[in-house]
Amino acid sequence: MNISLAEQKLLISVACQAADAARVVTLSYFRQPNLAAENKASIGYDPVTLADKQAETSIRAVIQELRPHDSILGEEQGDVVGTSGLTWVLDPIDGTRGFVAGTPTWGVLISVRDETGPIFGLIDQPYIGERFLGGFGLSEYRRTDKTLPLTTSRCSGLKDAILLSTFPEIGTDAERSAFSTLSQKTQLTRYGMDCYGYALLAVGSVDLVVEAGLFPYDIQAPIAVVQAAGGVVTDWRGNPAHDGGRVIAAATPVLHQAALEILSKAPPNL
């Protein structure tokens, strides 16, 4: 889709205003005593809080006021079908487990996509006050009065790479086995970052993020941010990862290829 410069600026502004609104909501709940969380999972623990629900409501309110003809896909509420050809993809709190535990590694994910995939996205960490933006020629880190360009590292070898993932017990048995093989070839592996891992990749602090079992709202904003910073994001077969599932995000094409050679051997989920 051909989007004018003026509309690009408007979309960036709307995303930032929506993230500002979500900051107010999430910070009013974060690290507060007696934060109630419902478990959405029949097996395991997949929490949702009032902060998730109210933050998404605040994001949607901004979008629907300023971009009433756009579609919306969010984690906590129903889809909105628009007529513009653009869709906002929202995760009001990516990393609710971390949010409940009081760790500042959760984030607000807001992106906009056309028929080709995400074209702009942001990762916002309200407690630290950090915002990572990517798309429309923009690749920026913002915090208070500081604005810096985002650039991935130049790491090209697995032996020098820092690898992040959300869970040590990633995915299925086959996915865990492939991930373990990759992890053993890297310099360092760390866990529990959720979307903040992709932000660290975009800012050049880490070199690889590998996950499985993702949904579109988990990955579309990170895709836009990482790619704008010079990184590569695909699924474990080298195909677009816009719909979630298995994801490799790498600082460089060479590093991505090295990880892909290992992870692509994992059999498909049936």
Side-chain angles (χ1 to χ4, degrees):
M1 177 180 292
N2 188 21
I3 300 176
S4 69
L5 181 59
E7 187 170 12
Q8 290 177 19
K9 290 180 178 179
L10 174 59
L11 291 167
I12 294 170
S13 175
V14 171
C16 289
Q17 289 179 65
D20 290 343
R23 276 190 178 189
V24 174
V25 174
T26 55
L27 290 177
S28 71
Y29 284 97
F30 186 55
R31 292 186 179 172
Q32 296 303 305
N34 303 315
L35 175 66
E38 303 172 25
N39 186 9
K40 297 190 291 184
S42 57
I43 300 175
Y45 184 57
D46 185 15
V48 61
T49 70
L50 280 176
D52 295 82
K53 297 175 181 179
Q54 292 180 10
E56 184 163 321
T57 296
S58 70
I59 294 168
R60 286 172 179 257
V62 171
I63 294 169
Q64 290 177 318
E65 177 184 354
L66 301 177
R67 299 284 305 182
H69 301 299
D70 294 345
S71 300
I72 300 176
L73 168 66
E75 180 177 12
E76 306 301 341
Q77 300 179 25
D79 297 352
V80 172
V81 179
T83 57
S84 69
L86 297 176
T87 301
W88 293 87
V89 183
L90 317 173
D91 192 342
I93 299 178
D94 181 84
T96 303
R97 294 173 183 85
F99 186 90
V100 170
T103 62
T105 54
W106 53 277
V108 178
L109 302 182
I110 300 174
S111 63
V112 61
R113 66 164 296 168
D114 63 10
E115 70 281 359
T116 67
I119 53 178
F120 177 80
L122 65 79
I123 302 170
D124 194 66
Q125 211 309 304
Y127 188 72
I128 303 174
E130 293 181 320
R131 184 168 296 172
F132 307 80
L133 306 98
F136 300 139
L138 180 71
S139 182
E140 282 187 356
Y141 166 87
R142 297 177 182 176
R143 184 179 182 190
T144 57
D145 59 348
K146 178 189 295 185
T147 299
L148 299 171
L150 290 175
T151 305
T152 58
S153 78
R154 295 297 89 202
C155 181
S156 59
L158 289 175
K159 66 180 179 60
D160 301 315
I162 299 175
L163 167 65
L164 298 186
S165 188
T166 298
F167 305 112
E169 63 276 16
I170 183 172
T172 64
D173 289 344
E175 289 165 345
R176 283 192 291 276
S177 177
F179 179 84
S180 178
T181 300
L182 174 65
S183 176
Q184 291 168 22
K185 294 181 181 297
T186 64
Q187 181 182 70
L188 174 67
T189 301
R190 303 296 292 169
Y191 299 100
M193 293 294 105
D194 294 298
C195 65
Y196 198 66
Y198 298 98
L200 293 174
L201 177 62
V203 82
S205 295
V206 306
D207 311 298
L208 278 170
V209 181
V210 173
E211 300 196 275
L214 300 186
F215 293 96
Y217 43 76
D218 295 318
I219 193 60
Q220 294 205 16
I223 286 173
V225 173
V226 170
Q227 289 182 339
V232 181
V233 186
T234 71
D235 70 8
W236 289 15
R237 293 287 190 271
N239 299 314
H242 308 155
D243 293 328
R246 301 169 171 180
V247 172
I248 307 171
T252 61
V254 174
L255 187 62
H256 173 266
Q257 184 59 38
L260 187 64
E261 287 176 4
I262 295 171
L263 297 175
S264 62
K265 296 175 182 177
N269 292 328
L270 300 178

